[in-house]
């Protein structure tokens, strides 16, 4: 057994029943499965049993060597593509692979939020099914008025249906992490970007990017009132008028406004 490297967030999932539950929740269609951080390959092995093609990204050269040996048949058959890379260095503004895919992974926790946000932005990614620390998963499923409600939950609810499927005790891992984990699933809506149909929440990818900027401003100082945060870059009188038109209380803090009202306010601001 190799020694787990803390710097790469290595906690290997050893609980067969948890692995089986993840596989049960994995979409079974002809899309590629992308796995980030295959580690010792326990989840990878099960993913290969239900999918024709898995693409896995592993940063640790030592693990990469072990995986190459372990899966040499599947690699030769081109059912497994194994890439040794730091996922955050290679996942820039474009998609991580050229075809549609589902992301299924037990994520390295130190970069879990960044990876999930990348997957939400990546239009080729259709489902995010990931294990992460419970606190992070809860941020994506939070509802307005809850203290965890933030831009992460608004984005997640805008383009998908986020849900925590189940929690996983630290004893299921080797070595055990210091936190409880949760399996988070987000199935993206087909039509969140209007492409050539007339549906969807956003008119274009550009509008989606503007919405993300709007959320960053809205939650700039989460304890301040929303109107104050928004007034730092948008014209205060105009924002006040939009609040009045939409019957939004001007004293609300950012976490108190619903996802729907964030969208209505955003559309007013951009004049849509
Ligand atoms: N999937 C395995 C399992 O369930 O047992 C391992 C999960 S472990 C929590 C996280 C994995 O992500 C490790 O294999 C680690 O080396 C890998 N990893 C860490 N940082 C990474 C990065 N920046 N890019 C790609 N893989 C990374």
């Amino acid at each position: 057994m190799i020694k787990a490297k803390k710097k790469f967030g290595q906690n290997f999932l050893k609980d067969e029943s948890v692995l089986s539950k993840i596989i049960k929740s994995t979409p079974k269609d002809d899309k590629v499965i992308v796995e980030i951080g295959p580690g010792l390959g326990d989840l990878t092995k099960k993913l290969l049993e239900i999918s024709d093609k898995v693409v896995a990204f592993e940063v640790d050269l030592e693990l990469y060597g072990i995986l190459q040996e372990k899966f040499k048949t599947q690699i030769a058959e081109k059912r497994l593509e194994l890439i040794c890379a730091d996922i955050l260095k290679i996942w820039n503004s474009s998609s991580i692979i050229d075809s549609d895919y589902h992301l299924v992974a037990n994520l390295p926790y130190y970069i879990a939020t960044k990876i999930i946000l990348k997957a939400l932005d990546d239009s080729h990614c259709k489902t995010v099914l990931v294990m992460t620390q419970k606190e992070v998963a809860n941020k994506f499923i939070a509802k307005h008025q809850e203290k965890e409600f933030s831009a992460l939950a608004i984005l997640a609810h805008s383009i998908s249906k986020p849900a925590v499927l189940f929690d996983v005790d630290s004893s299921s891992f080797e070595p055990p992490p210091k936190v409880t984990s949760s399996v988070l699933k987000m199935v993206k809506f087909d039509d969140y970007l209007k492409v050539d149909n007339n549906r969807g929440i956003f008119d274009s990818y550009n509008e989606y990017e503007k919405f993300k900027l709007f959320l960053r401003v809205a939650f700039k100082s989460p304890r301040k009132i929303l109107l104050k945060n928004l007034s730092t870059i948008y014209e205060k009188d105009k924002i006040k008028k939009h609040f009045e038109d939409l019957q939004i209380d001007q004293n609300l803090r950012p976490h108190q406004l619903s996802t729907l009202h964030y969208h209505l306010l955003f559309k007013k601001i951009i004049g849509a």
Side-chain angles (χ1 to χ4, degrees):
M1 176 82 180
I2 75 145
K3 197 169 179 309
K5 299 179 189 74
K6 255 193 186 161
K7 68 168 178 174
F8 290 140
Q10 291 174 357
N11 301 98
F12 302 111
L13 180 57
K14 287 290 155 203
D15 189 326
E16 272 295 318
S17 68
V18 176
L19 284 165
S20 300
K21 272 161 94 176
I22 295 173
I23 293 299
K24 232 178 166 179
S25 308
T26 301
K28 289 156 194 84
D29 55 23
D30 56 359
K31 291 192 180 48
V32 173
I33 303 277
V34 167
E35 187 188 7
I36 295 171
L40 291 166
D42 293 26
L43 180 59
T44 322
K45 182 168 168 265
K46 292 209 179 290
L47 289 171
L48 283 162
E49 286 166 12
I50 56 154
S51 171
D52 288 342
K53 178 85 196 237
V54 175
V55 180
F57 298 87
E58 176 54 63
V59 72
D60 183 347
L61 198 56
E62 188 185 5
L63 288 179
Y64 177 70
I66 293 171
L67 291 164
Q68 270 185 320
E69 185 54 35
K70 191 168 188 171
F71 294 109
K72 56 174 180 256
T73 313
Q74 293 91 334
I75 291 170
E77 289 168 357
K78 299 201 185 308
R79 296 192 47 231
L80 174 63
E81 194 180 327
L82 197 57
I83 297 154
C84 189
D86 178 336
I87 192 73
L88 291 182
K89 287 202 178 132
I90 58 167
W91 205 345
N92 41 39
S93 52
S94 54
S95 181
I96 194 68
I97 60 167
D98 289 339
S99 57
D100 286 352
Y101 68 90
H102 304 297
L103 171 65
V104 184
N106 172 17
L107 291 177
Y109 292 180
Y110 72 108
I111 47 171
T113 304
K114 281 190 182 158
I115 292 175
I116 296 170
L117 285 174
K118 289 263 181 210
L120 288 180
D121 280 0
D122 187 339
S123 58
H124 276 319
C125 177
K126 300 300 168 191
T127 309
V128 178
L129 176 63
V130 290
M131 174 109 70
T132 179
Q133 59 271 58
K134 190 174 165 63
E135 287 73 19
V136 168
N138 283 344
K139 281 192 178 163
F140 284 94
I141 62 160
K143 304 251 165 51
H144 79 283
Q145 298 293 2
E146 292 174 358
K147 69 175 187 326
E148 294 94 347
F149 189 68
S150 69
L152 298 182
I154 297 171
L155 266 188
H157 282 99
S158 299
I159 65 175
S160 76
K161 207 171 170 331
V164 164
L165 301 186
F166 53 91
D167 291 343
V168 181
D169 193 79
S170 60
S171 60
S172 298
F173 302 85
E174 185 51 49
K178 289 200 176 71
V179 292
T180 301
S181 306
S182 295
V183 172
L184 170 70
K185 187 172 186 179
M186 291 183 270
V187 180
K188 288 203 203 168
F189 303 135
D190 280 342
D191 51 5
Y192 73 94
L193 288 177
K194 238 192 240 175
V195 188
D196 38 27
N197 57 22
N198 236 4
R199 300 176 302 159
I201 300 169
F202 303 104
D203 279 340
S204 60
Y205 202 76
N206 187 28
E207 193 177 302
Y208 170 66
E209 288 296 321
K210 277 192 193 158
F211 185 67
K212 286 199 304 180
L213 170 70
F214 162 72
L215 291 181
R216 265 204 297 281
V217 178
F219 283 88
K220 202 169 172 201
S221 304
R223 283 165 204 276
K224 282 200 183 146
I225 60 170
L226 174 62
L227 186 68
K228 212 169 193 168
N229 282 342
L230 290 174
S231 306
T232 58
I233 74 157
Y234 304 108
E235 223 178 289
K236 189 168 185 181
D237 287 344
K238 279 193 183 159
I239 299 282
K240 267 190 166 171
K241 171 88 173 62
H242 297 328
F243 270 57
E244 274 164 28
D245 290 350
L246 295 168
Q247 297 180 338
I248 300 171
D249 179 347
Q250 301 199 354
N251 293 313
L252 287 190
R253 316 251 157 208
H255 73 282
Q256 293 177 302
L257 192 69
S258 71
T259 299
L260 172 65
H261 276 91
Y262 269 104
H263 279 283
L264 296 174
L265 192 56
F266 172 68
K267 293 277 178 190
K268 287 243 178 220
I269 287 174
I270 62 166

